[in-house]
Amino acid sequence: MKAMRFRHGIAVMCGMLRVSKSGYYKWLNRKPSKRAQEEGRLEVEIKAAHKRTRETYGPERLQHELKDQGVRVGICRIRRIRRSWGSGASRRESSRRPRIPSMPFQWRRITESAVWKATRPNEVWLSDITYIPTEEGWLYLAGHKGPLHRRGRWICHGNRITRTL
């Protein structure tokens, strides 16, 4: 309304929005609320704590850091303030999945064609390697399955992908 008051009158806009003129002027001259006044101080505190923690803490850990400094603030409020200035915790590279080189196209095509030519058990076996994230790192599982068998047989596991796996 403040920006459009020169094009349209305040009385017309107040009528359209169904608010009183006196209520609009009272709102226009009102001091910021207590929460809005705290917001600026909290933003400074959160930025300082963010820098102190090398910009790696998320909102939960930042809340504990601020609590140690004597500042009480909720997690949702920390998230909202950080979102307003486009900040987030920097991520570590170690959480990425390991890269496993894929089979060459020729080998895949040969393997797939051999599967369909299996006529009796134990003639052709399929193998696969998968990895599972754990607290200690990655766990790799290797398995074998005959195309004519219903269940696979997982036979080997390890913490590295090696030729023996």
Side-chain angles (χ1 to χ4, degrees):
M1 285 178 66
K2 191 174 183 181
M4 298 181 71
R5 71 178 184 263
F6 297 114
R7 264 199 249 160
H8 312 288
I10 294 291
V12 173
M13 288 190 290
C14 284
M16 289 179 70
L17 296 172
R18 295 188 179 148
V19 295
S20 66
K21 278 178 34 175
S22 62
Y24 167 72
Y25 284 114
K26 193 181 271 186
W27 170 81
L28 191 61
N29 298 323
R30 188 182 312 158
K31 290 189 307 184
S33 66
K34 184 179 175 185
R35 183 179 175 91
Q37 290 172 0
E38 284 179 1
E39 203 74 19
R41 182 186 59 82
L42 276 177
E43 188 171 343
V44 171
E45 292 279 352
I46 290 171
K47 278 185 180 180
H50 191 63
K51 291 286 184 194
R52 234 183 356 260
T53 59
R54 300 184 320 265
E55 300 179 1
T56 57
Y57 281 16
E60 291 85 6
R61 288 175 70 188
L62 253 180
Q63 183 188 34
H64 292 296
E65 178 73 22
L66 289 167
K67 186 179 178 184
D68 293 343
Q69 301 295 323
V71 179
R72 293 192 58 192
V73 62
I75 292 173
C76 292
R77 199 164 182 190
I78 292 172
R79 283 187 184 133
R80 184 175 43 77
I81 290 172
R82 286 176 57 179
R83 205 172 24 241
S84 71
W85 38 273
S87 173
S90 57
R91 303 189 189 281
R92 291 183 293 186
E93 293 294 321
S94 63
S95 64
R96 286 188 176 176
R97 288 183 173 179
R99 292 181 179 250
I100 299 174
S102 60
M103 286 192 296
F105 178 75
Q106 283 284 21
W107 177 251
R108 229 179 306 142
R109 192 171 54 189
I110 292 167
T111 307
E112 289 170 359
S113 64
V115 170
W116 301 114
K117 293 180 182 172
T119 56
R120 55 193 159 92
N122 294 332
E123 189 176 24
V124 176
W125 285 87
L126 303 173
S127 297
D128 190 21
I129 297 177
T130 187
Y131 48 94
I132 303 166
T134 65
E135 290 180 2
E136 298 173 1
W138 295 96
L139 174 68
Y140 299 96
L141 295 173
H144 298 293
K145 178 186 183 291
L148 301 177
H149 294 91
R150 288 186 179 186
R151 291 184 356 193
R153 296 187 175 101
W154 293 99
I155 60 166
C156 191
H157 63 87
N159 58 358
R160 292 183 358 191
I161 295 182
T162 59
R163 193 175 289 249
T164 58
L165 183 67

